[in-house]
Amino acid sequence: NSHADVFCVSGDGNPKESSPFINSSAATDTEKSQQYDGKNMALFEEEMDTSPMVSSLLSTLANYSNLPTGSKEHEEAENNEEGARPSKKPVKAPQLGTLMGVYLPCIQNIFGVILFLRMTWMVGIGGVFGSFIIVFMCCSTTMLTAISMSAIATNGVVPAGGSYYMISRSLGPEFGGAVGICFYLGTTFAGAMYILGCIEILLIYIVPQAAIFKIEGLEGAEAEAALLNNMRVYGTIVLSFMALVVFVGVKYVNKLALVFLACVILSILAVYAGVIKTAIDPPVFPVCLLGNRTLMSKGYDVCAKVIEIDNDTITTKLWRSFCDSEYLNATCDEYFTNNNVTEIQGIPGVTSGILAENLFGNYLEKGMILEKRGLASDSDPDSPTTNSNRFVLADITSFFTLLVGIYFPSVTGIMAGSNRSGDLRDAQKSIPIGTIAAITTTSTVYMSCVVLFGACIEGVVLRDKFGEGVSGNLVIGTLAWPSPWVIVFGSFFSTCGAGLQSLTGAPRLLQAISRDGIIPFLRVFGHGKANGEPTWALLLTASICEIGIIIASLDAVAPILSMFFLMCYMFVNLACALQTLLRTPNWRPRFKFYHWALSFLGMSLCLSLMFICSWYYAIVAMGIATCIYKYIEFYRAEKEWGDGIRGISLSAARFALMRLEEGPPHTKNWRPQILVVVSVDAEQNVEQPRLLSLTNQLKAGKGLTIVGTSVQGTFLDNYIEAQRADQSLRKLMEAEKVKGFSQVVISSNLRDGTSHLIQVGGLGGLKHNTVMVSWPRNWKQPECHQQFRNFIEIVRETTIASLALLVPKNISSYPSNGERFTEGHIDVWWIVHDGGMLMLLPFLLRQHKVWRKCKMRIFTVAQMDDNSIQMKKDLITFLYHLRIDAEVEVVEMHDSDISAYTYEKTLIMEQRSQILKQMHLTKNEMEREIQSITDSSRGSIRRKNPSALRPQHSAEEGASVAEKPEEEVKLQRPLPTSPTSPAAPAGGASTWTDSKGADKGKNLSAVTPERAKDLFNMKPNQTDVRRMHTAMRLNEVITKKSKEAKLVLLNMPGPPKNRVGNENYMEFLEVLTEGLNRVLLVRGGGREVITIYS
C-alpha cells in the first residue's frame, strides 16, 4: 500500500505532515487495514487522508458549541480571576429560551428614552394623526427589517456578533464592514442619547437645584445655553462613571439588566393605569392661561390677577410679574390688561373628547408662545410681545421631518436578540419569533400611546416639552398612576440601563470587526484584557460618545443616530432581497415567511426615512459608509465569506457575456483584446517581463488582457509546475499593474501549447482579437531552431484566425511603466492598409504616461508613378477625419538597380539555410530537398501557364508574379494604395506564395548526388533577391527617417506559404528592421478597427 503516500505527496500537493497516514510504514499499514476492517470502506482508503468519513464529520458538526464572543465567557473569566473556580473548565453558557434570550432584551432595547421624554411633545406638535403616521412608518420599517433579519439569521449558524456577522457573511466584507461601522456608530450615539436623556430627567425633573450653571432668572437663549452646559458637564461625569462600570465588569451590567427592564415595564403599566384612571376620576393638573397663552407655572402662585382677602383686593404674584408695581393703579402689560386669566384642566381625561382638538398638527417656530386653540385672545398683532419669558415658549422650530428623526431611535434595538445569538438554545427558532413578537408588542404600545395621549391630555400641555406649565412635572408623568414619580424614576433607571447596555454592546461590536481584520487601521481595537474585555474599543466608544454629549441636545443627537441605524437596516434588507433574487444555492433559511418584495419595500422605506429625517445627515452617513466600503475594497484583506455580492458580480458578468455574444463588435467598439504569449524558464519565471509593461501601456483601450504561457509535459505530471507558472504570471501582472487573466496550458510540446492558447483563450464575447508575442531573439543559433519555427507558426495561425498580431522586437529595450519620455517620436510606416491597427496603436500608447509626450509621425511610401503631393493631401484629410494628430510624410522610393550587395546577401542567406538543412536532413531527404528547390518553381509554372515556357530566368520571375494576387505585388515593390481610396484591400492577406513545392514527387529532372556540390555555386533565387531588395531599400529609408524615433511601427509581411522559406522569412524581417532600436511589427486581423464616423 506504499503507493498511497506517493499519491498524496505528489498528486495532491499536500505537505507531508498534514496528512495523517503519510509515513506509511508496515505498522501504520496494519493499523490502517484494521481501521477500515469490516467498514467496507477499503475502496475509499486513499481518500481518507484528504476527505473525512461521513460519520466522523457528522459527530463533529453535532457537537458544535457556539459560545458567544460576548459577555458570558467574560464573566467566567472574571470569576476565575477572583479565584472562585480554581479549575478552569469551560462552562457551558446558560442556554436561554425565546422569552429571556430574545423577547425581553429586544423590548428593553426598543423602549427607550424617547417614549418618556419626547413622545407627548411629538403628539402635541404633530397631532394624533401625524404622529400615528410617523409611528406607523417607523414600526413598519423595523418590522420589515426584522423579517429580512430573521431570514438571514435562520440561514445557517449565526456566530455571536449578531447583525455585523449576518451582514458581512451574506453581503461580503466591504458591505459588512460599512454596515458594521454604521451599526457601531449608531449604538455609540445611542449611548450618548440615553445619557443625555438620563441627565435631562435628573436636572429638570428630579433635582433641578443640582444645576451648576444656574437657570433661574435667565431667559431665552441664555437659559438654553445654561441648560446645555449643565448637560455637557453632567453628561461627561455620567459617561466616565458608566465607562468605569463597564470596564470593571460586564457582569454587573448584565445583573442589573433585569432590574432596568422591570423599571421600563412598570412605567409603561403605570401610564396605562393612569389612562384608565382618567376615565373615572381625572387627576388635578391645572394649567393657567392668559388669553390663550400658557403661563409658566413658576411665574404665579394662584391663577388669578387679584384675589379677595377680607373684602380687600390684593394683587397676586402674577400681577407683579406683568405690572410695574403691586398696586392696582400700576401700568401693566397691554396684553395682560386686555385678556382674562383662565384655568383649565391639564388632563381632561379620555372621555372628555379632547382628541378632536389634538387630531391635527400644530407646528411652532422657535420662541413662539404655546397657545390653546379656540380660546379668545385680544392681542395687537403689531405690538411686540413683551414679558415673553412669563409664557411657555417653543424651544425649537418643529416640522414633520424633524419629528421623524427624533422619533426613530425609539424603534431601534431590534437587533438585540440576534446580537445574543450565541446564548440561545435554538437561535434559529428563537430569533424570528422573539424579535417579531417584541416589535409587535412595542409597536402596539407606541400606537396606542399616541392615541391615548391625544385623548387624555390637553394640547398645550402636550406641546409643553419640559412641563413648565404643569409645575415642572414630566408630562407623561402627570398621566401616570399612582404618582408622577413612578415614571420619573422608572425612566431615569431605564435610561441609565440602556446607556450601560450601549456602552457594553458597542465595544464588543468594534472588537468583532477589528478581529475580522477587514479594516486594517482598526486592528488595535481588537486587543483587550486577558479575559477578552475590549479595553481599547471601550476607550474609542467613550470618546465618540463624548462627541454626542458635547452636542448636548437630545433633539440634535437623535437624527444622527437614526441615520446610522437606518443605514444598517437598509443593508440588512438589501442582503435578504439580493440573496433571494439571485437564488444563491446556499440561501435556504429556516424562516419561510419572507419575500424579496418585502425586503425591497423595507429597504426603500429606510432610504426614504433617511432623507426625510435630514438629507444632509443622510448624505454624510452615506459618505462615511462609502468611504469605509472603498477603503476595505482597496485594502481587500482576502476574505472569502461566500457573500451575496460575489453572487451579483457572477450574475452580472454572465448577463453581460450573454449580451456580448450577439454579434461581432462594431468598428467603433473595437479595442485590442490582447493575448500575450510569454515563455517561462525552467523555474517557471517569465522570460520577457517587458511584454507586460507594453501591454499595460496599451491598456488605454480598456480591453481584455489574457497572459498565457505553455508548459511542456503532461497534465498529470506537470500540474504543480503549471500552478507555479500561473503564480509567477499573476505576480508579474500585479507588479506591472496589468488587469487581466492568466492562463497556463500544459502540452506535450510548446508548439501545440501556444496553438491551444490561441484557439481556446477567452470566453464568449470576451475573446482575444490580438496576439502579442515577442521576437525570437537568437533564432540564428541552431539550438533555437525550434523557437523561430514556433514563431512563424504563430504568425500563420493568427493569419488564418484573422487575429491581429503585434511583434515587439528588442523587447528588453522597451520602457518600463516607471519611465517617462520627455520628447521624441512614434513613427508609423504605413506600407499596406490592414484595418488601421497601425493608427490605433500609437493613439492608445500615447494615452499612457510613458508615451504621452511623444509626437506621432506617419510615413507612407510612394512609387515613381504615384502623385506624392496628392497622396500627402489625401493622407492628411484621412487623419483629420480619424481625429488623430500626427505629422505626415510621403517618402518616394525610386526604382534602383538591384545591387551586387543584395545578391551577395541573398546568396549567403540561402546558402546558410541550405547548410542548416543539410545538418538536419538525412542524405535521402537532402536529395529530395535540393530537387524541390531547383524544380519547384519551374513545375508550378508548367502547371499554371504551360504556354509561357520562357528562358529560365524570366520564367522564374514570371512565376513569382503570376502566382501573386495584386496586393502581394505591392509588398515586393511597396506600392501604397492611396489611403482614402476604398479600393485598398482591407485584408492582411499578403502572404508570399513563393515556391509551392506541389510537385516534389514528380521527378522532372534527374537528381544526382553530385548536384549537392553545386549548392555552393548556385545562383540565388530571383524572388528572394527581389524580396531582399525591398527589405534593404525600405530599411534604408526607415533608418534614414526614423533612426532617432522612440518607437517604429511597421507592417509585418506575411509568412511564406510553404515551410521551405521559413529561415528566409526571418532573415528578410531581420534585414527590414536592422539598425532600429525598438520596432513593433504589426499585422492586422483583416477587419477595420478604426473609423472616421462618430
Side-chain angles (χ1 to χ4, degrees):
N1 202 349
S2 61
H3 67 276
D5 58 273
V6 182
F7 168 75
C8 281
V9 178
S10 63
D12 296 359
N14 279 359
K16 276 206 170 152
E17 291 78 18
S18 70
S19 298
F21 307 127
I22 274 230
N23 43 358
S24 64
S25 58
T28 50
D29 257 12
T30 51
E31 277 170 38
K32 210 189 224 184
S33 55
Q34 282 163 11
Q35 191 177 353
Y36 298 117
D37 227 15
K39 284 192 186 168
N40 307 332
M41 284 289 173
L43 179 59
F44 291 100
E45 228 168 281
E46 321 234 321
E47 309 291 317
M48 289 303 159
D49 307 351
T50 48
S51 357
M53 283 188 58
V54 180
S55 52
S56 55
L57 174 78
L58 290 178
S59 67
T60 51
L61 283 182
N63 299 334
Y64 175 65
S65 74
N66 184 4
L67 281 172
T69 51
S71 35
K72 286 289 182 289
E73 310 109 310
H74 169 59
E75 281 180 27
E76 287 151 23
E78 286 216 337
N79 293 338
N80 292 342
E81 279 176 15
E82 289 154 20
R85 302 195 193 95
S87 60
K88 285 199 178 184
K89 280 189 201 120
V91 179
K92 258 289 181 78
Q95 299 284 295
L96 303 171
T98 307
L99 185 74
M100 289 298 292
V102 184
Y103 182 72
L104 292 179
C106 274
I107 288 223
Q108 183 192 349
N109 267 307
I110 295 174
F111 282 138
V113 58
I114 301 287
L115 173 65
F116 301 120
L117 291 183
R118 293 288 182 270
M119 191 79 161
T120 49
W121 173 75
M122 186 181 97
V123 176
I125 297 276
V128 172
F129 199 63
S131 309
F132 195 83
I133 289 177
I134 294 176
V135 173
F136 183 74
M137 271 207 310
C138 296
C139 289
S140 45
T141 305
T142 50
M143 184 54 107
L144 292 170
T145 307
I147 291 175
S148 305
M149 190 189 74
S150 308
I152 296 178
T154 55
N155 184 42
V157 182
V158 179
S163 56
Y164 161 67
Y165 274 97
M166 286 184 331
I167 295 166
S168 62
R169 296 308 185 267
S170 64
L171 273 187
E174 292 96 343
F175 275 110
V179 177
I181 296 288
C182 278
F183 193 53
Y184 165 71
L185 290 172
T187 315
T188 308
F189 275 111
M193 186 186 74
Y194 287 128
I195 291 173
L196 289 175
C198 166
I199 308 295
E200 191 173 297
I201 295 167
L202 185 74
L203 285 185
I204 296 179
Y205 306 111
I206 301 182
V207 275
Q209 60 275 17
I212 296 173
F213 299 86
K214 290 289 177 262
I215 300 176
E216 305 299 318
L218 296 175
E219 45 192 79
E222 295 170 350
E224 197 182 330
L227 177 67
L228 292 185
N229 285 333
N230 283 328
M231 302 278 265
R232 287 179 184 125
V233 174
Y234 275 103
T236 310
I237 294 169
V238 171
L239 174 66
S240 324
F241 176 68
M242 283 188 175
L244 196 69
V245 170
V246 173
F247 179 73
V248 168
V250 181
K251 62 177 175 182
Y252 305 118
V253 181
N254 282 2
K255 284 184 180 130
L256 289 173
L258 273 175
V259 181
F260 294 138
L261 180 61
C263 291
V264 179
I265 291 173
L266 273 176
S267 311
I268 289 171
L269 290 176
V271 173
Y272 277 117
V275 169
I276 295 165
K277 185 169 176 294
T278 61
I280 311 153
D281 164 31
V284 186
F285 277 104
V287 180
C288 197
L289 303 178
L290 173 61
N292 64 356
R293 299 179 178 178
T294 321
L295 288 165
M296 280 273 208
S297 54
K298 56 175 184 260
Y300 60 87
D301 42 9
V302 273
C303 187
K305 295 186 183 181
V306 288
I307 43 171
E308 303 275 331
I309 300 180
D310 310 333
N311 289 344
D312 193 5
T313 310
I314 298 174
T315 54
T316 57
K317 183 179 174 188
L318 187 60
W319 178 284
R320 290 195 291 280
S321 63
F322 277 99
C323 304
D324 54 3
S325 75
E326 63 206 59
Y327 306 112
L328 290 169
N329 61 355
T331 39
C332 293
D333 185 80
E334 192 186 341
Y335 188 80
F336 183 69
T337 39
N338 293 352
N339 289 284
N340 292 326
V341 177
T342 43
E343 187 169 48
I344 57 166
Q345 261 309 345
I347 299 185
V350 176
T351 48
S352 66
I354 191 79
L355 182 62
E357 199 181 299
N358 290 334
L359 211 49
F360 294 103
N362 188 355
Y363 296 104
L364 301 171
E365 294 285 321
K366 181 169 180 165
M368 272 170 74
I369 299 171
L370 265 61
E371 299 177 349
K372 175 165 169 58
R373 292 178 184 165
L375 268 188
S377 156
D378 180 3
S379 68
D380 182 2
D382 304 330
S383 69
T385 35
T386 47
N387 298 67
S388 60
N389 60 328
R390 309 280 173 264
F391 301 112
V392 181
L393 304 177
D395 70 326
I396 56 171
T397 305
S398 48
F399 35 91
F400 181 76
T401 58
L402 175 87
L403 295 185
V404 179
I406 291 178
Y407 172 71
F408 189 80
S410 64
V411 292
T412 58
I414 57 171
M415 298 282 191
S418 60
N419 286 350
R420 288 195 168 68
S421 54
D423 313 4
L424 300 174
R425 193 176 303 122
D426 179 4
Q428 309 233 336
K429 199 176 77 194
S430 299
I431 289 178
I433 298 173
T435 311
I436 289 171
I439 291 178
T440 314
T441 312
T442 50
S443 304
T444 315
V445 170
Y446 283 141
M447 287 175 190
S448 59
C449 275
V450 168
V451 179
L452 293 174
F453 289 164
C456 290
I457 308 177
E458 172 60 56
V460 282
V461 181
L462 281 176
R463 284 189 282 284
D464 183 357
K465 193 188 271 184
F466 299 118
E468 293 159 325
V470 282
S471 55
N473 269 312
L474 179 60
V475 179
I476 194 175
T478 57
L479 193 59
W481 175 87
S483 133
W485 290 106
V486 177
I487 288 256
V488 172
F489 279 111
S491 56
F492 177 72
F493 284 123
S494 84
T495 47
C496 285
L500 279 171
Q501 288 280 355
S502 299
L503 282 180
T504 42
R508 291 213 146 54
L509 185 65
L510 183 64
Q511 191 180 28
I513 296 172
S514 51
R515 288 241 172 111
D516 256 349
I518 53 174
I519 305 178
F521 72 86
L522 287 184
R523 289 246 170 82
V524 62
F525 299 114
H527 307 310
K529 290 201 288 192
N531 52 21
E533 171 64 22
T535 325
W536 288 103
L538 180 65
L539 214 74
L540 181 72
T541 307
S543 323
I544 296 177
C545 217
E546 183 60 37
I547 297 174
I549 282 167
I550 288 169
I551 295 174
S553 155
L554 191 67
D555 306 316
V557 174
I560 298 179
L561 166 157
S562 306
M563 280 310 119
F564 289 124
F565 276 122
L566 279 167
M567 197 80 158
C568 178
Y569 295 166
M570 186 173 85
F571 281 123
V572 172
N573 284 313
L574 175 72
C576 180
L578 274 184
Q579 302 261 46
T580 317
L581 283 174
L582 287 173
R583 301 204 175 81
T584 323
N586 191 38
W587 178 247
R588 32 180 198 274
R590 210 45 86 52
F591 177 78
K592 289 288 178 247
F593 309 99
Y594 66 94
H595 190 267
W596 63 267
L598 288 177
S599 308
F600 215 74
L601 181 64
M603 191 177 94
S604 12
L605 259 172
C606 289
L607 196 59
S608 340
L609 279 177
M610 277 173 78
F611 281 97
I612 286 173
C613 288
S614 63
W615 57 268
Y616 44 94
Y617 277 153
I619 290 170
V620 170
M622 287 180 146
I624 291 177
T626 314
C627 289
I628 296 166
Y629 180 95
K630 280 291 165 200
Y631 179 83
I632 298 174
E633 191 180 47
F634 185 71
Y635 280 106
R636 182 70 190 259
E638 285 302 322
K639 296 273 181 238
E640 243 338 304
W641 289 326
D643 47 76
I645 294 297
R646 272 307 282 265
I648 292 196
S649 315
L650 264 172
S651 297
R654 203 200 67 203
F655 177 73
L657 274 173
M658 303 305 284
R659 288 286 303 275
L660 272 180
E661 274 291 72
E662 285 163 11
H666 188 271
T667 304
K668 273 186 270 184
N669 299 336
W670 194 93
R671 47 191 60 187
Q673 320 254 40
I674 306 181
L675 166 67
V676 187
V677 181
V678 294
S679 50
V680 290
D681 55 20
E683 272 73 56
Q684 272 80 43
N685 293 323
V686 179
E687 282 176 351
Q688 314 92 345
R690 278 280 185 277
L691 266 178
L692 289 182
S693 316
L694 180 60
T695 314
N696 180 22
Q697 290 155 28
L698 274 174
K699 271 344 287 165
K702 286 267 192 296
L704 161 89
T705 312
I706 304 175
V707 181
T709 185
S710 46
V711 174
Q712 204 160 351
T714 65
F715 189 64
L716 291 177
D717 301 339
N718 300 69
Y719 184 64
I720 294 167
E721 280 94 20
Q723 295 291 78
R724 270 214 303 274
D726 197 46
Q727 286 311 104
S728 68
L729 283 185
R730 277 175 199 220
K731 265 209 204 76
L732 185 63
M733 283 164 78
E734 215 167 278
E736 295 289 351
K737 296 194 174 59
V738 173
K739 290 195 163 56
F741 308 98
S742 56
Q743 207 167 9
V744 180
V745 172
I746 306 178
S747 172
S748 54
N749 58 36
L750 297 181
R751 169 81 229 92
D752 290 349
T754 322
S755 176
H756 296 327
L757 269 177
I758 293 174
Q759 287 172 55
V760 301
L763 170 70
L766 275 185
K767 271 190 121 44
H768 52 269
N769 51 28
T770 309
V771 177
M772 185 190 289
V773 61
S774 89
W775 178 259
R777 257 194 326 220
N778 317 331
W779 64 273
K780 293 185 181 176
Q781 268 119 25
E783 63 269 16
C784 297
H785 202 69
Q786 201 46 48
Q787 218 177 348
F788 84 82
R789 290 247 170 99
N790 290 356
F791 171 73
I792 294 179
E793 287 302 300
I794 292 179
V795 182
R796 289 196 173 105
E797 275 172 12
T798 50
T799 310
I800 285 181
S802 336
L803 301 172
L805 178 67
L806 308 178
V807 182
K809 199 158 176 279
N810 302 343
I811 185 70
S812 46
S813 68
Y814 274 68
S816 68
N817 290 333
E819 290 175 44
R820 302 279 179 273
F821 287 139
T822 44
E823 87 273 293
H825 291 97
I826 300 181
D827 286 0
V828 177
W829 282 82
W830 195 24
I831 298 164
V832 286
H833 179 66
D834 54 2
M837 272 294 272
L838 280 174
M839 313 291 154
L840 194 60
L841 290 174
F843 167 74
L844 292 177
L845 277 177
R846 284 186 55 216
Q847 312 283 310
H848 196 275
K849 293 190 185 81
V850 178
W851 304 92
R852 192 160 288 157
K853 299 268 185 2
C854 293
K855 301 265 186 302
M856 183 169 156
R857 292 191 299 192
I858 296 191
F859 295 94
T860 183
V861 185
Q863 298 309 107
M864 284 301 285
D865 43 2
D866 286 330
N867 180 347
S868 52
I869 299 163
Q870 185 58 41
M871 266 177 80
K872 184 162 184 173
K873 270 188 196 158
D874 292 347
L875 189 53
I876 289 170
T877 324
F878 181 54
L879 289 178
Y880 175 75
H881 284 317
L882 280 181
R883 309 170 301 287
I884 286 179
D885 300 325
E887 298 170 30
V888 173
E889 205 171 320
V890 176
V891 180
E892 298 193 351
M893 280 182 77
H894 303 291
D895 278 356
S896 61
D897 294 336
I898 295 176
S899 62
Y901 175 61
T902 312
Y903 266 104
E904 197 178 341
K905 203 159 171 107
T906 317
L907 191 57
I908 290 169
M909 169 184 86
E910 292 191 342
Q911 281 179 350
R912 201 184 71 243
S913 65
Q914 296 290 9
I915 290 167
L916 276 172
K917 287 231 177 57
Q918 276 187 330
M919 288 159 58
H920 284 288
L921 303 175
T922 60
K923 193 162 188 327
N924 186 12
E925 280 174 335
M926 188 176 77
E927 288 172 5
R928 214 174 314 145
E929 210 35 72
I930 295 167
Q931 190 226 297
S932 72
I933 292 168
T934 46
D935 292 350
S936 55
S937 47
R938 234 175 298 163
S940 55
I941 301 163
R942 248 171 234 157
R943 202 179 59 251
K944 278 200 175 153
N945 46 357
S947 60
L949 275 170
R950 283 168 266 161
Q952 171 69 38
H953 170 80
S954 59
E956 266 189 347
E957 197 165 337
S960 60
V961 179
E963 289 171 3
K964 295 189 178 70
E966 167 211 13
E967 192 179 354
E968 285 141 24
V969 179
K970 271 183 222 145
L971 247 179
Q972 298 148 25
R973 292 181 326 186
L975 217 186
T977 53
S978 146
T980 42
S981 73
S990 41
T991 48
W992 285 341
T993 55
D994 165 71
S995 31
K996 288 246 165 77
D999 17 21
K1000 277 190 191 171
K1002 297 183 191 167
N1003 272 344
L1004 295 179
S1005 62
V1007 179
T1008 55
E1010 282 88 67
R1011 280 296 282 277
K1013 288 179 194 143
D1014 301 344
L1015 264 179
F1016 294 109
N1017 42 20
M1018 67 180 242
K1019 279 225 187 83
N1021 181 328
Q1022 282 305 312
T1023 327
D1024 287 348
V1025 172
R1026 259 202 325 281
R1027 281 182 201 152
M1028 181 60 85
H1029 178 59
T1030 306
M1032 283 174 70
R1033 292 279 297 134
L1034 262 177
N1035 176 257
E1036 245 169 74
V1037 177
I1038 295 174
T1039 39
K1040 195 165 93 195
K1041 296 279 185 188
S1042 305
K1043 186 82 179 136
E1044 297 306 313
K1046 295 279 182 262
L1047 178 65
V1048 179
L1049 282 92
L1050 263 177
N1051 280 112
M1052 180 176 183
K1057 275 274 170 63
N1058 72 345
R1059 299 282 186 276
V1060 181
N1062 279 359
E1063 294 95 339
N1064 303 359
Y1065 174 63
M1066 296 297 279
E1067 189 69 62
F1068 290 137
L1069 288 182
E1070 280 286 2
V1071 172
L1072 183 61
T1073 56
E1074 210 171 348
L1076 297 171
N1077 183 16
R1078 300 186 192 94
V1079 186
L1080 184 56
L1081 295 165
V1082 181
R1083 200 166 154 62
R1087 59 157 299 163
E1088 292 294 327
V1089 297
I1090 194 164
T1091 172
I1092 61 175
Y1093 303 108
S1094 64

